[in-house]
Amino acid sequence: MTYIAKPKFHHPGLKKNELGYTHRDYEGKISTLCAGCGHDSITASIIEACYELSIEPHRVAKISGIGCSSKTPDYFLGNSHGFNSVHGRMPSVLTGANLANRDLIYLGVSGDGDSASIGFGQFAHSIRRAVNMTYIVENNGVYGLTKGQFSATADRGSKSKKGVTNTDNAIDLVAIALQLGATFVARSFSGDKTQLVPLIAAAIRHKGASFIDVISPCIAFNNHAGSTKSFDYVREHNDAVNRLDVLVGRDPISVDYAPGTVQVVEQHDGSRLALRKLDADYDPHDRLGAQTFLQKHAAKGQIVTGLLYVDPDAEDLHTHLDTVETPLNTLDEQALCPGSAVLDKINASLR
Amino acid sequence: MSVQSPISSVNDFVVRFANVNGSGSASANELFARSILRHGVPVSPRNIFPSNIQGLPTWYEVRVTEDGHLGARGGVDMMVAMNPQTWDKDVASIEPGGYLFYDSTKPMPTSKFREDIAVIGVPLTAITNSTYTDPRQRQLFKNIIYLGALCALLDLDPKLVEQLIGEQYKGKEKLLSSNVHALHLGRDWALQNLKCPIGLRVKKSDKVGDRIFVEGNSAAALGAVYGGATVCAWYPITPSSSVAEAFTSHCKKYRHDPETGKAKYAIVQGEDELASIGIVIGASWNGARAFTATSGPGISLMTEFIGLSYFAEIPAVIMNIQRAGPSTGMPTRTQQCDVIACAYASHGDTKHVLLFPEDPAEAFEFAAAAFDLAERLQTTIFLMLDLDIGMNHRLCRPLKWDDAKQYDRGKVMTAEMLDEGRDFGRYLDVDGDGIPYRTYPGTHPTKGSYFTRGTSRDRYARYSEEGAVYADNMQRLVRKFETAQDMVPRPLQANAAKPTKYGVLYFGSTSPAMDEAIGILEARGHQLDRMRIRAFPFHSSVASFIADHDFVYVVEQNRDAQLRQLIVNENGIDPVRLVPILHYDGTPITARFIANAIGDHQDHLKVTPLRKAVT
Ligand SMILES: Cc1ncc(C[n+]2csc(CCOP(=O)(O)OP(=O)(O)O)c2C)c(N)n1
Ligand code: SF4
């Protein structure tokens, strides 16, 4: 067998969240990715965020495309349904799933190859449609699973492991998500759990299209000198705009109320985002400002991380389509079928 | 101009309108067809239109047919020639003794006419211009004026036409009266200046009965509403767009919550066909009934996902309104050319269920049934229409629905079942029919979750590349396909009046032409048993039918005899026993064509070669 199940044993002393679940309840199978792959750290952050939010694991639908990154949903939330669809087409599958049942939490996991090349169109359209989801790109600048070819997010001038220089311009998914109207846009680094965990938690709580680009070095093919997605490069060039904590209505998980330095953002579902601003004049409600900020720093070779933009009053696709509150997948013939009397009338109108 | 023997026929003729696309003639022409129906006389109309928006030629043909033949007949008895661009071709297409109706405002050289047809000139532009000043009104009412003149010429009851106009403009009194006025302008002019009626006439009859007049695409869309589809994702493509458009309008009427006004459906115009089928698969995976409508090029794009639907066993319904291929082919012409592409869509070993409705009534039934089938079989179901049924009005039996019917959601394991301790293996064949149980996402906190993937996996949905595990799964999929054989609509067989060694197989929109051809062939002395195939996988009776006959003709509207290929391939039948009868110029197949092709072949069979001794 080419999968490894985790032993079911729980240590009795494990910390429990509000639902009485431990960390272990949010784990999945043992990862088969290369030891040290950035994607595994993201998996750990997703587990942490879901644990902290006290999400019922089975109420999450985790959907991905194809790639090393897209394999990761198997490694977290073992009690939820996962869907490893086809290369680059996670967004449409997620959109359909979301239309069918608006009550679940939708977590889309993709790679930069998956989302910025073959799936670029689907990425863009799911965002402009405002699908209520958390869309995470595990961005390593290469095709990991097919062994190291450049992806469309690889910076121009960066070098592949084989020494080839990339001559194409890079696509910045964050800039595009902003431009397309994503209502929650963030960037982080797989190695920065302190920043990433609350970002994921906040994205999950956000109603609307949340997009997080997570720089996630591929230690097998993109962690060498000359790469701009290596651990060292990102650490040196990281410029965080803010740090984030999430307060869920009831018991705050961890809050740092240093007056004057915390900005509280009300979310639709009643939860509040507390932004610890590192950059005094950074306003995460200003889409245009975020775009400029991003570009200014990119020109300086800096990777801006943190919550770049959020619209706390965002709407989602269901709002736009004005669908009933009841999940469509639970409607039965009574609710859906107009019946024979109506059909008789239709027949009469066709004579 | 005088003609020796003008065609004389009551309730049995073909009128063709040659118009310019965008001139607003479509509604007047449809009114003409409907008016004849109101006389109790069946009609079979066909749109013949180019792949462009405005300015190019478009034709609308109405076959008036007391005998109720709903296939295309071929030939034109009266041409209403309203398009100067196509004049020569239009005039040439009239049957000898036929009629040419034209706008005689401007004189035409005699060389533009034919000796053997009757020419009827009405100064339409002159009449229109003297009545209307607004250019758009002039254009639109000219169509109603020629309709009025035709009323007089063909002896149509103006009251019935007025009644139809009344229904069309109910509540819009101004439009109603101005249309009626234009109708009479044309009729009166014809009555005063021409010899009315002519040899072609409509006489009241009672041959329409309670039948309805509807387009296949609209009926299929209604089938989706009745069948419980809640998610529709589509991308515009001729001739399928009107499915999604009709679904939208049906849903707006019948699918809003009376209390909140909110929609009990979601329709997304995808960015392409890849997204459309992806949305369908995502929604179906999550337990909603979902479909997309497309045509050949869209099917090509969807194939990767169709393979996923097959292998990962996710329901999906695809309505394929076929048009002439390959590639962009002839986008506005009809064919049945995607049989193979759909039956084996995607890479690897796949087989998909195809349904072949013959008319709008079956399009409605099969569309609704497709959702049950998709969920029962957890796979893609193709509803195979074509432009000829999809985009033309057809007379068909009224649509029927049994209120006692419950949706068959297939094998879904619920939280209760899981709690009872039922063994859940997503790909476990518990019942021996090849169909496993599935669970919807979110069902149970600790049981029944699994990972859906397009990669190989074992019976418990665990990733595996072991050969035996893979083969086991592939075998089960074959078993499932065999199960499907008894779930899909069965073929319908009709035997010839006398015992015969010959049979004919046909499917889909060919049906009315085939029905008519049988009569013609009988008159020529050829007896044929026939079987209409309504679905793939083929029911065992198809093989028996072939076995029972020396030769079986297979009538199709494609070049490569795709249905025949599929039968040969799936049933291991000697190809020699299946004689292909192929029509693929993009026009709908006619009874004349079928009868000639089969008749010639039959005649041939009877010729015993003479072996004269050569000295
Ligand atoms: C249609 C199709 N084309 C190509 C592939 C091969 N393929 C598999 S994964 C992959 C790239 C994955 O790159 P990325 O999304 O960046 O994920 P990573 O492996 O780097 O995490 C490609 C090209 C495929 N599976 N399907
Ligand atoms: S190849 Fe790269 S991306 Fe894939 S698992 Fe290994 S380190 Fe991670």
Side-chain angles (χ1 to χ4, degrees):
Chain A
M1 291 287 167
T2 35
Y3 76 96
I4 309 158
K6 276 196 182 161
K8 290 229 157 72
F9 174 73
H10 277 202
H11 192 279
L14 280 182
K15 216 171 81 197
K16 288 183 177 158
N17 66 10
E18 204 180 299
L19 289 175
Y21 287 137
T22 69
H23 251 97
R24 299 296 305 272
D25 296 308
Y26 293 87
E27 289 173 357
K29 300 203 178 85
I30 290 172
S31 169
T32 56
L33 302 184
C34 309
C37 173
H39 300 349
D40 280 335
S41 313
I42 302 173
T43 295
S45 292
I46 292 173
I47 291 170
E48 185 70 30
C50 292
Y51 167 83
E52 285 186 4
L53 286 179
S54 287
I55 282 171
E56 291 179 282
H58 74 292
R59 302 300 292 171
V60 177
K62 26 175 206 177
I63 300 166
S64 61
I66 299 286
C68 298
S69 34
S70 289
K71 284 180 168 195
T72 60
D74 218 4
Y75 313 142
F76 57 82
L77 305 186
N79 279 326
S80 50
H81 279 60
F83 194 155
N84 209 182
S85 63
V86 293
H87 193 26
R89 262 55 67 78
M90 172 278 281
S92 63
V93 175
L94 189 150
T95 302
N98 183 299
L99 290 175
N101 184 358
R102 59 191 298 170
D103 283 356
L104 300 184
I105 291 165
Y106 293 93
L107 205 55
V109 179
S110 179
D112 45 307
D114 210 53
S115 279
S117 291
I118 191 168
F120 195 44
Q122 296 222 334
F123 154 75
H125 289 274
S126 65
I127 296 228
R128 69 175 259 275
R129 280 194 192 107
V131 180
N132 186 9
M133 62 182 171
T134 298
Y135 190 135
I136 297 174
V137 166
E138 309 193 341
N139 185 353
N140 53 18
V142 286
Y143 288 166
L145 198 63
T146 50
K147 299 198 184 307
Q149 303 82 357
F150 284 122
S151 86
T153 64
D155 291 306
R156 185 167 171 174
S158 64
K159 278 208 167 73
S160 78
K161 197 175 178 185
K162 286 187 176 154
V164 181
T165 305
N166 180 28
T167 57
D168 295 339
N169 286 329
I171 289 174
D172 184 343
L173 292 172
V174 159
I176 290 174
L178 276 170
Q179 204 266 320
L180 289 167
T183 45
F184 182 109
V185 183
R187 172 170 282 147
S188 191
F189 175 46
S190 61
D192 187 355
K193 251 179 117 177
T194 341
Q195 183 193 48
L196 182 54
V197 172
L199 274 179
I200 294 172
I204 289 174
R205 303 303 302 215
H206 180 75
K207 181 185 174 185
S210 307
F211 177 72
I212 312 179
D213 182 46
V214 189
I215 311 290
S216 173
C218 168
I219 52 118
F221 302 108
N222 211 13
N223 197 32
H224 46 268
S227 157
T228 57
K229 300 273 191 295
S230 66
F231 280 105
D232 290 345
Y233 187 92
V234 178
R235 271 194 207 103
E236 279 160 28
H237 295 79
N238 185 359
D239 183 10
V241 288
N242 46 38
R243 296 233 171 245
L244 184 76
D245 288 329
V246 175
L247 289 86
V248 187
R250 304 159 299 257
D251 292 318
I253 297 154
S254 70
V255 197
D256 189 344
Y257 279 113
T261 60
V262 175
Q263 181 176 346
V264 176
V265 181
E266 283 280 345
Q267 288 261 73
H268 240 289
D269 65 352
S271 69
R272 291 173 297 154
L273 307 184
L275 299 178
R276 191 179 329 155
K277 296 180 70 178
L278 292 183
D279 202 320
D281 54 3
Y282 190 81
D283 174 11
H285 294 114
D286 175 5
R287 188 184 291 276
L288 215 66
Q291 282 164 323
T292 321
F293 187 86
L294 195 69
Q295 277 173 14
K296 249 176 28 201
H297 284 260
K300 285 193 245 166
Q302 288 176 349
I303 302 159
V304 179
T305 63
L307 177 61
L308 285 149
Y309 176 75
V310 64
D311 172 2
D313 299 321
E315 291 181 336
D316 80 329
L317 180 57
H318 278 285
T319 322
H320 298 161
L321 296 176
D322 200 23
T323 43
V324 286
E325 293 299 323
T326 325
L328 294 178
N329 69 351
T330 62
L331 300 177
D332 59 9
E333 42 282 284
Q334 234 105 50
L336 297 176
C337 184
S340 64
V342 169
L343 200 57
D344 290 343
K345 277 196 198 141
I346 295 174
N347 282 323
S349 74
L350 295 170
R351 288 186 180 117
Chain B
M1 233 166 267
S2 72
V3 182
Q4 290 302 314
S5 52
I7 300 172
S8 177
S9 176
V10 178
N11 290 352
D12 185 10
F13 54 89
V14 173
V15 180
R16 186 182 276 191
F17 299 84
N19 296 102
V20 179
N21 209 356
S23 62
S25 55
S27 67
N29 297 347
E30 198 184 310
L31 201 58
F32 173 77
R34 285 180 184 277
S35 306
I36 295 168
L37 279 181
R38 288 292 168 99
H39 285 74
V41 179
V43 291
S44 158
R46 275 180 175 78
N47 284 297
I48 305 156
F49 60 102
S51 184
N52 110 311
I53 307 301
Q54 247 182 352
L56 280 191
T58 165
W59 292 269
Y60 185 73
E61 181 179 290
V62 179
R63 179 177 188 188
V64 180
T65 162
E66 170 118 34
D67 291 340
H69 297 310
L70 300 180
R73 187 200 73 178
V76 178
D77 299 317
M78 178 187 238
M79 175 65 72
V80 179
M82 303 300 294
N83 186 355
Q85 256 188 326
T86 57
W87 176 274
D88 292 336
K89 195 177 159 199
D90 291 338
V91 171
S93 67
I94 303 169
E95 301 273 294
Y99 302 80
L100 168 68
F101 178 104
Y102 82 112
D103 180 355
S104 61
T105 304
K106 278 197 199 135
M108 291 249 218
T110 41
S111 61
K112 288 293 205 185
F113 300 102
R114 263 168 58 189
E115 287 294 336
D116 62 340
I117 54 173
V119 177
I120 303 162
V122 179
L124 293 167
T125 308
I127 303 173
T128 321
N129 288 357
S130 65
T131 322
Y132 306 97
T133 47
D134 177 63
R136 186 64 188 157
Q137 274 194 341
R138 282 180 172 173
Q139 195 178 36
L140 290 178
F141 284 121
K142 192 198 273 186
N143 304 319
I144 303 293
I145 292 171
Y146 74 61
L147 181 63
L150 289 176
C151 273
L153 291 163
L154 303 174
D155 205 15
L156 291 175
D157 181 350
K159 290 255 157 35
L160 294 175
V161 189
E162 277 176 32
Q163 202 185 354
L164 272 173
I165 297 177
E167 288 168 23
Q168 194 172 336
Y169 296 111
K170 211 161 133 191
K172 298 174 192 156
E173 294 310 319
K174 239 181 99 192
L175 278 171
L176 195 164
S177 59
S178 53
N179 272 281
V180 171
H181 178 68
L183 183 81
H184 283 284
L185 267 182
R187 184 167 180 269
D188 294 345
W189 193 94
L191 287 174
Q192 281 157 25
N193 299 285
L194 302 169
K195 195 175 153 293
C196 299
I198 55 168
L200 307 178
R201 268 177 233 184
V202 175
K203 208 174 125 228
K204 284 194 182 134
S205 183
D206 58 354
K207 297 284 161 56
V208 173
D210 70 344
R211 280 187 284 177
I212 58 165
F213 192 56
V214 65
E215 286 163 328
N217 282 355
S218 176
L222 198 59
V225 173
Y226 274 75
T230 51
V231 176
C232 165
W234 65 294
Y235 188 72
I237 183 169
T238 304
S240 77
S241 299
S242 56
V243 174
E245 284 157 0
F247 184 72
T248 309
S249 73
H250 294 320
C251 281
K252 280 193 173 144
K253 272 194 216 140
Y254 309 116
R255 278 283 192 77
H256 280 263
D257 186 274
E259 276 162 36
T260 59
K262 287 181 176 292
K264 290 186 273 185
Y265 61 90
I267 299 169
V268 175
Q269 184 185 317
E271 59 271 28
D272 50 36
E273 287 84 352
L274 305 172
S276 303
I277 185 67
I279 290 171
V280 168
I281 285 179
S284 308
W285 172 73
N286 214 359
R289 296 193 148 192
F291 78 102
T292 184
T294 190
S295 194
I299 297 292
S300 294
L301 282 176
M302 290 177 187
T303 52
E304 188 190 15
F305 258 134
I306 294 167
L308 178 75
S309 156
Y310 177 79
F311 197 48
E313 300 180 66
I314 303 161
V317 173
I318 300 177
M319 301 189 186
N320 178 13
I321 322 303
Q322 297 165 92
R323 64 188 215 184
S327 188
T328 311
M330 296 195 282
T332 60
R333 309 292 161 177
T334 197
Q335 272 188 358
Q336 299 174 307
C337 54
D338 301 338
V339 176
I340 295 291
C342 292
Y344 299 132
S346 195
H347 52 278
D349 293 325
T350 59
K351 282 181 211 274
H352 309 290
V353 175
L354 316 179
L355 308 178
F356 302 112
E358 67 164 347
D359 68 357
E362 267 192 0
F364 171 81
E365 277 164 31
F366 289 12
F371 295 95
D372 276 356
L373 280 170
E375 291 204 307
R376 288 181 77 183
L377 291 164
Q378 300 173 31
T379 194
T380 290
I381 309 293
F382 286 94
L383 184 75
M384 304 287 278
L385 266 72
D386 58 26
L387 184 144
D388 190 31
I389 328 179
M391 287 189 74
N392 289 313
H393 277 82
R394 267 210 197 169
L395 212 50
C396 64
R397 65 193 145 82
L399 309 178
K400 270 216 310 260
W401 188 259
D402 176 4
D403 287 327
K405 186 178 161 38
Q406 293 199 318
Y407 297 151
D408 186 339
R409 307 302 310 263
K411 296 188 190 177
V412 178
M413 211 170 263
T414 59
E416 294 74 43
M417 291 158 86
L418 291 164
D419 277 335
E420 280 166 18
R422 298 266 291 260
D423 182 17
F424 176 69
R426 171 63 182 103
Y427 299 105
L428 202 58
D429 186 3
V430 247
D431 304 316
D433 56 2
I435 307 173
Y437 273 84
R438 62 175 179 147
T439 51
Y440 297 152
T443 295
H444 194 284
T446 52
K447 296 174 185 165
S449 72
Y450 66 95
F451 211 83
T452 304
R453 44 161 64 92
T455 28
S456 181
R457 86 299 317 205
D458 69 7
R459 294 174 181 183
Y460 288 86
R462 295 172 301 208
Y463 178 73
S464 166
E465 287 181 11
E466 267 180 46
V469 169
Y470 169 82
D472 172 66
N473 194 28
M474 291 301 279
Q475 277 308 317
R476 184 181 50 76
L477 287 168
V478 170
R479 228 161 31 242
K480 183 164 94 166
F481 201 68
E482 281 161 7
T483 303
Q485 218 186 81
D486 290 317
M487 289 184 178
V488 297
R490 295 201 171 189
L492 297 180
Q493 191 175 337
N495 287 341
K498 295 180 197 150
T500 173
K501 292 187 282 184
Y502 309 109
V504 57
L505 288 169
Y506 62 103
F507 66 109
S509 67
T510 309
S511 200
M514 190 68 230
D515 291 346
E516 188 181 352
I518 287 288
I520 305 173
L521 284 163
E522 264 173 22
R524 270 172 75 171
H526 301 300
Q527 298 285 335
L528 288 167
D529 294 335
R530 61 196 148 127
M531 175 174 265
R532 177 161 70 86
I533 292 181
R534 301 201 298 167
F536 174 67
F538 303 121
H539 188 258
S540 54
S541 56
V542 176
S544 329
F545 181 81
I546 297 168
D548 290 345
H549 295 90
D550 285 1
F551 278 107
V552 173
Y553 299 98
V554 187
V555 181
E556 331 190 27
Q557 304 190 56
N558 59 62
R559 186 194 67 180
D560 290 347
Q562 298 191 18
L563 184 74
R564 178 175 172 271
Q565 279 183 49
L566 201 57
I567 296 171
V568 166
N569 197 33
E570 293 290 322
N571 290 31
I573 283 167
D574 179 0
V576 173
R577 317 239 346 269
L578 299 177
V579 183
I581 301 292
L582 306 170
H583 183 276
Y584 52 90
D585 67 3
T587 63
I589 197 166
T590 62
R592 281 183 193 179
F593 175 87
I594 300 173
N596 284 341
I598 295 185
D600 288 352
H601 193 272
Q602 289 281 98
D603 290 341
H604 241 78
L605 292 177
K606 287 187 182 146
V607 176
T608 327
L610 292 176
R611 288 169 195 270
K612 276 189 188 160
V614 182
T615 48

